[in-house]
Amino acid sequence: MEKYKLELNKGSSKYLQIYNYIKKLIIDNKIKEHEKLPPIRKLANYMEVNNATIVKVYELLENEGYVYKIVGSGTFASNIKLKKEKSVKSEGLIHFDSGNPSADMFPIDDYKKAINMALENDGSTIFNYDEGKGSKDLREKIVEYLKEKKINTKSENIQIISGAQQGIDIVCKGLINYSDVVFVEEPTYNGALEVFKSRGAKVISIPMLDDGIDIGILKLKLEKIKPKLIYVMPNFQNPTGISYSTYKKKKLIELSEEYDFYILEDDFISDFPFDSQDNLPLKSYDTNDRVIYIKSFSKILMPGLRIGMVEIPMELQSQILWAKYSSDISTPGLIQKSMFYYMNCFNWKQYLNNINKIYYEKYSLAKKLIDEKISDKLKVRKASGGINFFLELPRGYLSYDFYNFLLEKGVVVTPGTYFFDNTTDDRHFRINIANASLEDIREGITIISDNIDVFLANYKEKNNLRSNKIFY
């Protein structure tokens, strides 16, 4: 562990410092090819940072190709020669692997004005530590915003957070102890899985049907096992795009009361209806204070702001607030105040309407092309909106082979292995359209369609085993 020793500079982002440090270790061959990196919790303790910071570091390293993950085994350093070869080819790639919204959607000019308003109106006090729950102005504005989503709450129940990933982390710190049981949807968001595992939780996956989580299997599990928490994305789920029916939203809350567990709702894009019959958050149906509601703004505003909120039942506020303190004390005041002024002074509703139109146009085009060009060749999960489409290859094929095959054709998708807790036969892959232009969507899906038959003819039951160096 000695080589991971790093003195962090308090004046800049911890996760970027750690990311750059580990990246340099890999480039300089101080972390050897296929060498296993420390587990998230162990490295977080060693570097004296929170688990979410290391999760973010490992995700960034993986996205940049410096590491790869093997489910159930850990994170390993990649082949740097291969990384350099891929970086040369990276120009002109069509990215269906990035969940970040396209930069041309960002309201840069208006947000500059919001930042200036924050500086002018709040002065130097904006750079002090804020109260633990966050700016009262922003929390009250968020209460107004949540009323539009039929969530009735008070500013005292709102905790401002530095992005949804931190929200998941502090909820787990506050609630989850070693060996506690957490239920998750299958498939689900990898960042959440990593956090649950870092807390020593036992993760149990419940399959997803076209109208939401499989209630039948969930009830069978609940008869035998009591979870502390169930983690769900009821609207336009990542990675499938599935939305829960109204019945299943209400039934899940009913079961949480009957079997005495909490629901952690991760909401990243329910602001827009798409083709859903019910895009209201699960929290809007919660009359028993069973739902801990996390709202991220990364997909509807600018992900680099790293801001979101969590609505917390009163009986849980103390432990989750202290978990936030131990994470980063408070979300930066400048970010909070500029967010308040942007929501308050720059026609937030009109902005959301504009983003709704952009996303719906992308979603509709992608859905039409996938239905016309791919659905007769591959199994496609029935999405009702959002930014993700989840597809499945026939038996005998592996998604990682398909990922590499498409990479050579100029299209990048995300292999499905990242969205399962344990998988031995991964045939799934995700297409994410958040970052792609309409032209990229047309071209990228056409490239996939035109090359599926070639892949199916040449890659059946082909096993590309990694080097056995990782085992010694």
Side-chain angles (χ1 to χ4, degrees), residues 236-422:
F236 317 120
Q237 195 246 15
N238 179 19
T240 63
I242 290 169
S243 285
Y244 285 39
S245 64
T246 302
Y247 164 77
K248 285 198 171 177
K249 289 178 180 179
K250 292 179 177 179
K251 190 63 179 178
L252 185 56
I253 291 173
E254 179 186 313
L255 290 173
S256 70
E257 185 71 9
E258 181 180 351
Y259 291 93
D260 189 24
F261 61 86
Y262 287 102
I263 303 167
L264 180 57
E265 178 180 12
D266 189 351
D267 176 8
F268 61 97
I269 201 168
S270 75
D271 301 79
F272 316 126
F274 295 96
D275 291 336
S276 173
Q277 298 299 310
D278 176 7
N279 65 308
L280 287 174
L282 187 69
K283 183 65 183 176
S284 68
Y285 294 102
D286 181 24
T287 58
N288 301 314
D289 264 355
R290 287 290 177 179
V291 177
I292 306 164
Y293 175 72
I294 293 175
K295 175 62 188 174
S296 167
F297 294 103
S298 64
K299 301 298 184 289
I300 62 175
L301 193 54
M302 295 177 284
L305 287 176
R306 304 308 304 148
I307 193 164
M309 51 77 50
V310 54
E311 203 273 355
I312 311 167
M314 287 299 296
E315 68 269 19
L316 302 178
Q317 287 195 20
S318 177
Q319 54 262 53
I320 293 178
L321 181 58
W322 276 104
K324 168 66 173 172
Y325 287 159
S326 69
S327 178
D328 64 356
I329 303 178
S330 68
T331 300
L334 179 59
I335 299 296
Q336 294 191 60
K337 286 293 188 178
S338 61
M339 183 70 179
F340 163 72
Y341 285 111
Y342 183 74
M343 292 180 75
N344 193 55
C345 303
F346 291 91
N347 202 337
W348 174 246
K349 288 183 182 179
Q350 183 58 52
Y351 169 76
L352 290 179
N353 286 337
N354 293 339
I355 299 301
N356 176 32
K357 291 175 184 175
I358 293 170
Y359 272 139
Y360 189 72
E361 190 175 10
K362 288 185 178 187
Y363 160 76
S364 298
L365 176 62
K367 185 176 188 300
K368 178 176 179 289
L369 292 172
I370 290 171
D371 286 346
E372 290 177 354
K373 294 176 175 287
I374 299 179
S375 63
D376 62 332
K377 301 174 183 178
L378 304 180
K379 184 177 179 181
V380 182
R381 293 305 299 260
K382 186 180 178 182
S384 58
I387 53 177
N388 297 303
F389 294 87
F390 206 55
L391 295 86
E392 182 180 349
L393 298 163
R395 290 188 179 276
Y397 298 90
L398 296 175
S399 64
Y400 203 80
D401 288 334
F402 195 53
Y403 161 81
N404 285 313
F405 174 79
L406 287 180
L407 188 62
E408 294 297 320
K409 309 297 181 185
V411 177
V412 191
V413 297
T414 304
T417 185
Y418 298 114
F419 306 106
F420 293 88
D421 178 29
N422 290 298

Side-chain angles (χ1 to χ4, degrees), residues 23 30 54 102 163 234 281 353 407:
K23 180 174 77 171
K30 292 179 181 177
I54 303 302
S102 175
N353 286 337
L407 188 62

